[in-house]
Amino acid sequence: MRLRLSSTGLHAQNITLEDGSAAVDVAYINQQQVHRVRAKQAVMAGYNMMIPYMVPEVSEAQKEALLQNVKAPLVYSNVVIRNWQTFMKLGVHNIYCPTAPYCMVKLDFPVNMGGYEHPDSPDKPVVLHMVYVPNLAGSALPSREQSRKGRSMLLGMSFAEHEKIIREQLQDMLGGVGFNHEEDIIAITLNRWSHGYSYSVNTLFDDEDEAEAIITTARQPIGNITIANSDSDWSPYAHSAIEQGIRAVDELIAMQAGGAQ
Ligand SMILES: Cc1cc2nc3c(=O)[nH]c(=O)nc-3n(C[C@H](O)[C@H](O)[C@H](O)COP(=O)(O)OP(=O)(O)OC[C@H]3O[C@@H](n4cnc5c(N)ncnc54)[C@H](O)[C@@H]3O)c2cc1C
């Protein structure tokens, strides 16, 4: 096996060799040079929505199905606060806020690791883990459209705007029990993903049987190219990534066993 790091796949294509056997040609770019590699079979394991552009031979129906996986943008913010007495007063460690920008605000997991020890007293500073899915909640737009618009909104947001949202939300939530954002927030780190979570079935917007049919169409093998990634199960979790990787390789093995070249 040869790993090609810092290489971006551009194009994959089923071909027939002179002796009649089948192969897959993959073009990739590394350090501004385009290369081509040939294999008997290939697995596309990246963002599934890109496959129609990278494997243009895919059928129109499958293209349409693949394009339905519109990832959601995601922001994880870590906010260090001076102490967590406010959480003690409220008697909570995890606050779910469905109508606020940050839908979840929680005390970070109490982990000791490599010399780092989690704060064991509410008088000590602690990290708050805050999750924000920038969409247009309440807009009545379809879920995919909300993700697209949210992504463009996120790309245009400055750190100052993010900071303002965080300060206002924490002040609104915790001000009643003595929190003062000007004194109590020590540091903020923002982690932003324009394409965060895979699309997943949302019964507010999707018919479950129809969604299942789209998923099945989207991950059909294209000749000797199979499709992995958690996207291929419309599930944004690591176990799906593993299961779908196994499925995609099993499909290749079945093709070989079935006599495909
Ligand atoms: C912020 C965040 C938090 C998460 N938290 C959790 C969690 O707590 N638990 C959980 O189970 N899951 C979590 N997930 C989801 C989990 O990370 C994904 O489901 C999982 O990583 C998907 O694995 P994958 O191999 O299918 O795809 P990916 O991890 O997306 O891997 C695809 C790889 O392909 C590469 N790639 C894409 N296009 C190309 C190309 N053209 N050429 C070459 N390489 C390419 C990418 O760089 C990437 O490395 C989280 C995701 C995010 C974004």
Side-chain angles (χ1 to χ4, degrees):
M1 181 167 68
R2 291 172 61 195
L3 291 175
R4 291 168 174 80
L5 299 177
S6 305
S7 302
T8 301
L10 302 173
H11 186 249
Q13 183 179 15
N14 285 287
I15 56 159
T16 307
L17 300 176
E18 276 179 13
D19 66 1
S21 61
V24 179
D25 271 359
V26 176
Y28 67 93
I29 191 164
N30 178 304
Q31 297 190 343
Q32 298 183 7
Q33 278 242 283
V34 178
H35 304 264
R36 191 176 66 181
V37 63
R38 179 167 293 168
K40 275 191 171 177
Q41 299 173 306
V43 178
M44 299 294 288
Y47 178 15
N48 278 194
M49 210 213 210
M50 292 304 294
I51 293 175
Y53 305 99
M54 297 173 69
V55 192
E57 67 189 89
V58 65
S59 72
E60 285 306 315
Q62 190 168 358
K63 244 178 222 177
E64 193 47 46
L66 284 160
L67 292 173
Q68 299 306 309
N69 193 321
V70 178
K71 285 197 192 267
L74 203 55
V75 180
Y76 277 12
S77 292
N78 293 317
V79 179
V80 182
I81 55 172
R82 201 170 292 281
N83 62 63
W84 36 294
Q85 284 294 356
T86 45
F87 282 76
M88 289 297 284
K89 281 182 196 156
L90 292 171
V92 295
H93 71 96
N94 186 347
I95 306 175
Y96 180 56
C97 330
T99 59
Y102 280 87
C103 57
M104 194 178 79
V105 177
K106 71 187 287 289
L107 294 175
D108 208 357
F109 294 105
V111 173
N112 295 333
M113 193 167 53
Y116 168 82
E117 293 202 355
H118 71 82
D120 53 4
S121 151
D123 291 325
K124 291 185 183 169
V126 76
V127 175
L128 293 183
H129 176 54
M130 300 179 58
V131 177
Y132 170 34
V133 184
N135 53 16
L136 281 81
S139 63
L141 284 169
S143 160
R144 292 178 179 85
E145 205 44 35
Q146 290 194 31
S147 288
R148 290 195 182 99
K149 287 198 182 339
R151 181 160 26 255
S152 96
M153 183 174 81
L154 180 61
L155 286 170
M157 274 172 81
S158 64
F159 180 83
E161 287 170 273
H162 281 283
E163 181 176 359
K164 186 167 181 284
I165 290 174
I166 290 168
R167 288 183 179 278
E168 283 179 358
Q169 183 168 342
L170 288 180
Q171 192 59 43
D172 284 350
M173 285 170 50
L174 306 172
V177 282
F179 184 81
N180 177 347
H181 73 95
E182 284 175 347
E183 288 171 6
D184 289 330
I185 294 179
I186 303 175
I188 298 174
T189 309
L190 284 180
N191 298 285
R192 296 167 296 170
W193 286 263
S194 57
H195 300 81
Y197 270 4
S198 159
Y199 188 81
S200 50
V201 178
N202 180 336
T203 49
L204 286 176
F205 301 97
D206 297 309
D207 174 84
E208 282 180 278
D209 293 336
E210 202 180 311
E212 206 47 54
I214 297 172
I215 293 170
T216 305
T217 304
R219 67 185 183 201
Q220 288 306 305
I222 312 159
N224 279 295
I225 304 170
T226 60
I227 298 176
N229 195 292
S230 64
D231 284 2
S232 63
D233 202 30
W234 282 19
S235 162
Y237 297 104
H239 68 273
S240 290
I242 296 164
E243 286 165 6
Q244 296 309 312
I246 293 169
R247 188 227 354 111
V249 170
D250 281 348
E251 286 173 352
L252 295 182
I253 294 168
M255 279 178 205
Q256 289 192 358
Q261 292 152 322

